[in-house]
mmCIF file of all heavy atoms in Angstrom:
data_model
loop_
_atom_site.group_PDB
_atom_site.id
_atom_site.type_symbol
_atom_site.label_atom_id
_atom_site.label_comp_id
_atom_site.label_asym_id
_atom_site.label_seq_id
_atom_site.Cartn_x
_atom_site.Cartn_y
_atom_site.Cartn_z
ATOM 1 N N GLN A 648 5.148 25.496 5.927
ATOM 2 C CA GLN A 648 6.213 24.605 5.486
ATOM 3 C C GLN A 648 7.489 24.893 6.278
ATOM 4 O O GLN A 648 7.950 26.043 6.378
ATOM 5 C CB GLN A 648 6.458 24.783 3.991
ATOM 6 C CG GLN A 648 7.304 23.690 3.367
ATOM 7 C CD GLN A 648 7.359 23.809 1.867
ATOM 8 O OE1 GLN A 648 7.456 24.903 1.321
ATOM 9 N NE2 GLN A 648 7.275 22.686 1.168
ATOM 10 N N TYR A 651 11.861 21.436 2.962
ATOM 11 C CA TYR A 651 11.491 20.518 1.904
ATOM 12 C C TYR A 651 12.753 20.016 1.216
ATOM 13 O O TYR A 651 13.833 20.583 1.361
ATOM 14 C CB TYR A 651 10.522 21.171 0.905
ATOM 15 C CG TYR A 651 11.050 22.387 0.182
ATOM 16 C CD1 TYR A 651 11.569 22.282 -1.095
ATOM 17 C CD2 TYR A 651 10.999 23.648 0.786
ATOM 18 C CE1 TYR A 651 12.036 23.406 -1.760
ATOM 19 C CE2 TYR A 651 11.461 24.761 0.127
ATOM 20 C CZ TYR A 651 11.978 24.642 -1.145
ATOM 21 O OH TYR A 651 12.447 25.755 -1.803
ATOM 22 N N ASP A 662 9.065 28.203 5.139
ATOM 23 C CA ASP A 662 8.738 29.491 5.758
ATOM 24 C C ASP A 662 9.133 29.588 7.223
ATOM 25 O O ASP A 662 9.360 30.675 7.735
ATOM 26 C CB ASP A 662 7.230 29.750 5.638
ATOM 27 C CG ASP A 662 6.863 30.235 4.253
ATOM 28 O OD1 ASP A 662 7.729 30.865 3.604
ATOM 29 O OD2 ASP A 662 5.729 29.999 3.824
ATOM 30 N N ARG A 700 7.734 17.358 -8.203
ATOM 31 C CA ARG A 700 8.111 18.552 -7.496
ATOM 32 C C ARG A 700 6.862 19.239 -6.961
ATOM 33 O O ARG A 700 5.893 19.363 -7.667
ATOM 34 C CB ARG A 700 8.827 19.527 -8.435
ATOM 35 C CG ARG A 700 10.069 18.955 -9.058
ATOM 36 C CD ARG A 700 10.552 19.860 -10.161
ATOM 37 N NE ARG A 700 11.152 21.057 -9.606
ATOM 38 C CZ ARG A 700 11.606 22.068 -10.338
ATOM 39 N NH1 ARG A 700 11.480 22.043 -11.641
ATOM 40 N NH2 ARG A 700 12.150 23.113 -9.778
ATOM 41 N N ALA A 702 3.832 21.154 -6.147
ATOM 42 C CA ALA A 702 2.429 20.933 -6.420
ATOM 43 C C ALA A 702 2.191 20.506 -7.857
ATOM 44 O O ALA A 702 1.069 20.499 -8.316
ATOM 45 C CB ALA A 702 1.645 22.194 -6.097
ATOM 46 N N GLN A 703 3.224 20.148 -8.587
ATOM 47 C CA GLN A 703 2.986 19.608 -9.920
ATOM 48 C C GLN A 703 2.433 18.203 -9.836
ATOM 49 O O GLN A 703 1.883 17.672 -10.762
ATOM 50 C CB GLN A 703 4.273 19.629 -10.743
ATOM 51 C CG GLN A 703 4.677 21.029 -11.119
ATOM 52 C CD GLN A 703 5.914 21.048 -11.967
ATOM 53 O OE1 GLN A 703 6.480 20.032 -12.280
ATOM 54 N NE2 GLN A 703 6.370 22.230 -12.339
ATOM 55 N N GLU B 500 6.029 39.711 0.117
ATOM 56 C CA GLU B 500 6.003 38.388 0.740
ATOM 57 C C GLU B 500 4.858 37.564 0.143
ATOM 58 O O GLU B 500 3.746 38.032 0.014
ATOM 59 C CB GLU B 500 5.808 38.541 2.246
ATOM 60 C CG GLU B 500 5.828 37.236 3.006
ATOM 61 C CD GLU B 500 5.559 37.448 4.484
ATOM 62 O OE1 GLU B 500 5.783 38.573 4.997
ATOM 63 O OE2 GLU B 500 5.093 36.501 5.124
ATOM 64 N N ASP B 501 5.160 36.328 -0.195
ATOM 65 C CA ASP B 501 4.141 35.459 -0.753
ATOM 66 C C ASP B 501 3.055 35.170 0.273
ATOM 67 O O ASP B 501 3.355 34.964 1.451
ATOM 68 C CB ASP B 501 4.771 34.133 -1.194
ATOM 69 C CG ASP B 501 5.722 34.300 -2.364
ATOM 70 O OD1 ASP B 501 5.644 35.341 -3.047
ATOM 71 O OD2 ASP B 501 6.538 33.386 -2.589
ATOM 72 N N LYS B 502 1.799 35.137 -0.182
ATOM 73 C CA LYS B 502 0.726 34.795 0.747
ATOM 74 C C LYS B 502 -0.461 34.191 0.026
ATOM 75 O O LYS B 502 -0.696 34.438 -1.156
ATOM 76 C CB LYS B 502 0.288 36.008 1.550
ATOM 77 C CG LYS B 502 -0.251 37.161 0.732
ATOM 78 C CD LYS B 502 -0.621 38.320 1.650
ATOM 79 C CE LYS B 502 -1.139 39.484 0.845
ATOM 80 N NZ LYS B 502 -1.493 40.640 1.690
ATOM 81 N N VAL B 503 -1.202 33.419 0.785
ATOM 82 C CA VAL B 503 -2.435 32.788 0.304
ATOM 83 C C VAL B 503 -3.511 33.096 1.340
ATOM 84 O O VAL B 503 -3.321 32.819 2.523
ATOM 85 C CB VAL B 503 -2.254 31.263 0.155
ATOM 86 C CG1 VAL B 503 -3.566 30.607 -0.232
ATOM 87 C CG2 VAL B 503 -1.169 30.953 -0.874
ATOM 88 N N VAL B 504 -4.608 33.665 0.885
ATOM 89 C CA VAL B 504 -5.669 34.088 1.801
ATOM 90 C C VAL B 504 -6.968 33.401 1.435
ATOM 91 O O VAL B 504 -7.437 33.495 0.299
ATOM 92 C CB VAL B 504 -5.864 35.621 1.738
ATOM 93 C CG1 VAL B 504 -6.992 36.042 2.667
ATOM 94 C CG2 VAL B 504 -4.575 36.335 2.109
ATOM 95 N N SER B 523 -7.444 33.515 -2.548
ATOM 96 C CA SER B 523 -6.692 34.478 -3.345
ATOM 97 C C SER B 523 -5.218 34.347 -2.992
ATOM 98 O O SER B 523 -4.868 33.921 -1.893
ATOM 99 C CB SER B 523 -7.187 35.901 -3.107
ATOM 100 O OG SER B 523 -6.941 36.281 -1.767
ATOM 101 N N TYR B 524 -4.356 34.724 -3.913
ATOM 102 C CA TYR B 524 -2.925 34.489 -3.670
ATOM 103 C C TYR B 524 -2.067 35.586 -4.281
ATOM 104 O O TYR B 524 -2.458 36.240 -5.246
ATOM 105 C CB TYR B 524 -2.496 33.128 -4.220
ATOM 106 C CG TYR B 524 -2.673 32.965 -5.715
ATOM 107 C CD1 TYR B 524 -1.645 33.310 -6.593
ATOM 108 C CD2 TYR B 524 -3.861 32.467 -6.232
ATOM 109 C CE1 TYR B 524 -1.802 33.163 -7.958
ATOM 110 C CE2 TYR B 524 -4.020 32.325 -7.602
ATOM 111 C CZ TYR B 524 -2.998 32.665 -8.458
ATOM 112 O OH TYR B 524 -3.152 32.528 -9.814
ATOM 113 N N GLU B 525 -0.935 35.779 -3.648
ATOM 114 C CA GLU B 525 0.132 36.610 -4.198
ATOM 115 C C GLU B 525 1.398 35.786 -4.027
ATOM 116 O O GLU B 525 1.962 35.727 -2.934
ATOM 117 C CB GLU B 525 0.278 37.929 -3.443
ATOM 118 C CG GLU B 525 -0.876 38.880 -3.614
ATOM 119 C CD GLU B 525 -0.706 40.122 -2.752
ATOM 120 O OE1 GLU B 525 0.444 40.502 -2.449
ATOM 121 O OE2 GLU B 525 -1.746 40.698 -2.352
ATOM 122 N N VAL B 526 1.795 35.088 -5.063
ATOM 123 C CA VAL B 526 2.924 34.159 -4.986
ATOM 124 C C VAL B 526 3.812 34.376 -6.196
ATOM 125 O O VAL B 526 3.332 34.373 -7.334
ATOM 126 C CB VAL B 526 2.438 32.697 -4.929
ATOM 127 C CG1 VAL B 526 3.617 31.743 -4.974
ATOM 128 C CG2 VAL B 526 1.599 32.454 -3.677
ATOM 129 N N THR B 527 5.087 34.544 -5.935
ATOM 130 C CA THR B 527 6.055 34.754 -7.016
ATOM 131 C C THR B 527 6.200 33.495 -7.841
ATOM 132 O O THR B 527 6.305 32.392 -7.296
ATOM 133 C CB THR B 527 7.425 35.125 -6.395
ATOM 134 O OG1 THR B 527 7.259 36.216 -5.495
ATOM 135 C CG2 THR B 527 8.405 35.517 -7.486
ATOM 136 N N ASN B 528 6.191 33.667 -9.158
ATOM 137 C CA ASN B 528 6.387 32.535 -10.077
ATOM 138 C C ASN B 528 5.406 31.401 -9.799
ATOM 139 O O ASN B 528 5.792 30.256 -9.595
ATOM 140 C CB ASN B 528 7.818 31.998 -9.994
ATOM 141 C CG ASN B 528 8.841 33.016 -10.468
ATOM 142 O OD1 ASN B 528 8.519 33.891 -11.262
ATOM 143 N ND2 ASN B 528 10.040 32.923 -9.959
ATOM 144 N N PHE B 529 4.138 31.740 -9.833
ATOM 145 C CA PHE B 529 3.066 30.767 -9.603
ATOM 146 C C PHE B 529 3.254 29.555 -10.519
ATOM 147 O O PHE B 529 3.524 29.697 -11.717
ATOM 148 C CB PHE B 529 1.720 31.428 -9.891
ATOM 149 C CG PHE B 529 0.568 30.471 -9.905
ATOM 150 C CD1 PHE B 529 -0.142 30.220 -8.754
ATOM 151 C CD2 PHE B 529 0.185 29.822 -11.071
ATOM 152 C CE1 PHE B 529 -1.221 29.342 -8.742
ATOM 153 C CE2 PHE B 529 -0.870 28.941 -11.083
ATOM 154 C CZ PHE B 529 -1.575 28.704 -9.923
ATOM 155 N N ARG B 530 3.083 28.381 -9.924
ATOM 156 C CA ARG B 530 3.153 27.162 -10.732
ATOM 157 C C ARG B 530 1.832 26.397 -10.700
ATOM 158 O O ARG B 530 1.362 25.915 -11.714
ATOM 159 C CB ARG B 530 4.308 26.294 -10.266
ATOM 160 C CG ARG B 530 5.619 26.984 -10.470
ATOM 161 C CD ARG B 530 6.825 26.112 -10.445
ATOM 162 N NE ARG B 530 6.588 24.732 -10.166
ATOM 163 C CZ ARG B 530 6.939 24.134 -9.036
ATOM 164 N NH1 ARG B 530 7.514 24.823 -8.091
ATOM 165 N NH2 ARG B 530 6.714 22.865 -8.849
ATOM 166 N N SER B 531 1.243 26.249 -9.520
ATOM 167 C CA SER B 531 -0.046 25.560 -9.464
ATOM 168 C C SER B 531 -0.731 25.850 -8.145
ATOM 169 O O SER B 531 -0.107 26.323 -7.188
ATOM 170 C CB SER B 531 0.130 24.056 -9.655
ATOM 171 O OG SER B 531 1.005 23.548 -8.678
ATOM 172 N N LEU B 532 -2.022 25.569 -8.114
ATOM 173 C CA LEU B 532 -2.830 25.771 -6.911
ATOM 174 C C LEU B 532 -3.546 24.464 -6.605
ATOM 175 O O LEU B 532 -4.049 23.799 -7.513
ATOM 176 C CB LEU B 532 -3.844 26.895 -7.144
ATOM 177 C CG LEU B 532 -4.730 27.298 -5.964
ATOM 178 C CD1 LEU B 532 -5.002 28.816 -5.998
ATOM 179 C CD2 LEU B 532 -6.014 26.528 -5.934
ATOM 180 N N LYS B 566 -6.056 33.161 -13.171
ATOM 181 C CA LYS B 566 -4.667 33.591 -12.974
ATOM 182 C C LYS B 566 -4.468 35.081 -13.192
ATOM 183 O O LYS B 566 -3.478 35.655 -12.762
ATOM 184 C CB LYS B 566 -3.744 32.788 -13.889
ATOM 185 C CG LYS B 566 -3.598 31.333 -13.461
ATOM 186 C CD LYS B 566 -2.923 30.485 -14.497
ATOM 187 C CE LYS B 566 -1.435 30.720 -14.530
ATOM 188 N NZ LYS B 566 -0.774 29.754 -15.432
ATOM 189 N N LEU B 569 -5.849 36.328 -9.834
ATOM 190 C CA LEU B 569 -5.124 35.643 -8.754
ATOM 191 C C LEU B 569 -6.057 35.067 -7.697
ATOM 192 O O LEU B 569 -5.903 35.337 -6.492
ATOM 193 C CB LEU B 569 -4.108 36.593 -8.106
ATOM 194 C CG LEU B 569 -3.128 37.284 -9.054
ATOM 195 C CD1 LEU B 569 -2.139 38.124 -8.249
ATOM 196 C CD2 LEU B 569 -2.385 36.291 -9.936
ATOM 197 N N ALA B 589 -3.578 25.694 -1.315
ATOM 198 C CA ALA B 589 -2.122 25.813 -1.286
ATOM 199 C C ALA B 589 -1.629 26.226 -2.663
ATOM 200 O O ALA B 589 -2.219 25.852 -3.676
ATOM 201 C CB ALA B 589 -1.479 24.501 -0.879
ATOM 202 N N VAL B 590 -0.554 26.987 -2.681
ATOM 203 C CA VAL B 590 0.023 27.445 -3.952
ATOM 204 C C VAL B 590 1.507 27.109 -3.977
ATOM 205 O O VAL B 590 2.227 27.355 -3.005
ATOM 206 C CB VAL B 590 -0.188 28.956 -4.143
ATOM 207 C CG1 VAL B 590 0.520 29.439 -5.405
ATOM 208 C CG2 VAL B 590 -1.669 29.279 -4.211
ATOM 209 N N ALA B 591 1.954 26.549 -5.090
ATOM 210 C CA ALA B 591 3.387 26.310 -5.299
ATOM 211 C C ALA B 591 3.951 27.456 -6.111
ATOM 212 O O ALA B 591 3.396 27.843 -7.138
ATOM 213 C CB ALA B 591 3.598 25.007 -6.033
ATOM 214 N N GLY B 592 5.055 28.009 -5.609
ATOM 215 C CA GLY B 592 5.666 29.139 -6.281
ATOM 216 C C GLY B 592 7.143 28.923 -6.536
ATOM 217 O O GLY B 592 7.588 27.793 -6.771
ATOM 218 N N ARG B 593 7.889 30.001 -6.411
ATOM 219 C CA ARG B 593 9.320 29.927 -6.732
ATOM 220 C C ARG B 593 10.045 28.978 -5.790
ATOM 221 O O ARG B 593 9.650 28.788 -4.658
ATOM 222 C CB ARG B 593 9.932 31.332 -6.641
ATOM 223 C CG ARG B 593 9.839 31.929 -5.258
ATOM 224 C CD ARG B 593 10.413 33.345 -5.239
ATOM 225 N NE ARG B 593 10.060 34.030 -4.020
ATOM 226 C CZ ARG B 593 10.775 33.970 -2.897
ATOM 227 N NH1 ARG B 593 11.875 33.278 -2.857
ATOM 228 N NH2 ARG B 593 10.388 34.617 -1.810
ATOM 229 N N ASP B 594 11.099 28.410 -6.295
ATOM 230 C CA ASP B 594 11.974 27.536 -5.511
ATOM 231 C C ASP B 594 11.255 26.337 -4.926
ATOM 232 O O ASP B 594 11.698 25.776 -3.933
ATOM 233 C CB ASP B 594 12.639 28.319 -4.362
ATOM 234 C CG ASP B 594 13.446 29.496 -4.870
ATOM 235 O OD1 ASP B 594 14.016 29.377 -5.959
ATOM 236 O OD2 ASP B 594 13.489 30.518 -4.167
ATOM 237 N N ASP B 595 10.147 25.961 -5.497
ATOM 238 C CA ASP B 595 9.403 24.774 -5.060
ATOM 239 C C ASP B 595 8.808 24.907 -3.678
ATOM 240 O O ASP B 595 8.385 23.914 -3.086
ATOM 241 C CB ASP B 595 10.303 23.539 -5.107
ATOM 242 C CG ASP B 595 10.654 23.176 -6.536
ATOM 243 O OD1 ASP B 595 9.724 22.889 -7.302
ATOM 244 O OD2 ASP B 595 11.841 23.201 -6.862
ATOM 245 N N LYS B 596 8.738 26.102 -3.130
ATOM 246 C CA LYS B 596 8.045 26.275 -1.847
ATOM 247 C C LYS B 596 6.552 26.131 -2.055
ATOM 248 O O LYS B 596 6.017 26.444 -3.111
ATOM 249 C CB LYS B 596 8.315 27.673 -1.299
ATOM 250 C CG LYS B 596 9.619 27.809 -0.560
ATOM 251 C CD LYS B 596 9.686 29.167 0.124
ATOM 252 C CE LYS B 596 11.001 29.351 0.809
ATOM 253 N NZ LYS B 596 11.102 30.667 1.461
ATOM 254 N N ILE B 597 5.888 25.682 -0.986
ATOM 255 C CA ILE B 597 4.431 25.555 -1.027
ATOM 256 C C ILE B 597 3.867 26.364 0.129
ATOM 257 O O ILE B 597 4.313 26.224 1.264
ATOM 258 C CB ILE B 597 4.003 24.088 -0.917
ATOM 259 C CG1 ILE B 597 4.510 23.319 -2.131
ATOM 260 C CG2 ILE B 597 2.478 23.989 -0.817
ATOM 261 C CD1 ILE B 597 4.276 21.849 -2.054
ATOM 262 N N ILE B 598 2.900 27.205 -0.184
ATOM 263 C CA ILE B 598 2.314 28.081 0.834
ATOM 264 C C ILE B 598 0.835 27.748 0.955
ATOM 265 O O ILE B 598 0.109 27.743 -0.044
ATOM 266 C CB ILE B 598 2.492 29.545 0.462
ATOM 267 C CG1 ILE B 598 3.980 29.861 0.326
ATOM 268 C CG2 ILE B 598 1.858 30.457 1.515
ATOM 269 C CD1 ILE B 598 4.264 31.149 -0.363
ATOM 270 N N PHE B 599 0.435 27.483 2.192
ATOM 271 C CA PHE B 599 -0.960 27.170 2.467
ATOM 272 C C PHE B 599 -1.683 28.393 3.009
ATOM 273 O O PHE B 599 -1.104 29.225 3.721
ATOM 274 C CB PHE B 599 -1.047 26.068 3.526
ATOM 275 C CG PHE B 599 -0.932 24.681 2.980
ATOM 276 C CD1 PHE B 599 0.320 24.136 2.697
ATOM 277 C CD2 PHE B 599 -2.054 23.899 2.757
ATOM 278 C CE1 PHE B 599 0.440 22.850 2.185
ATOM 279 C CE2 PHE B 599 -1.943 22.619 2.255
ATOM 280 C CZ PHE B 599 -0.696 22.085 1.975
#
Side-chain angles (χ1 to χ4, degrees):
Chain A
Q648 194 172 40
Y651 61 98
D662 281 332
R700 301 169 73 184
Q703 290 182 0
Chain B
E500 183 183 337
D501 293 342
K502 61 181 179 181
V503 175
V504 179
S523 65
Y524 61 90
E525 292 176 27
V526 175
T527 307
N528 295 335
F529 171 91
R530 296 198 357 250
S531 57
L532 183 145
K566 289 169 76 173
L569 307 183
V590 175
R593 62 182 167 88
D594 302 326
D595 292 299
K596 278 189 183 179
I597 296 174
I598 300 165
F599 276 81

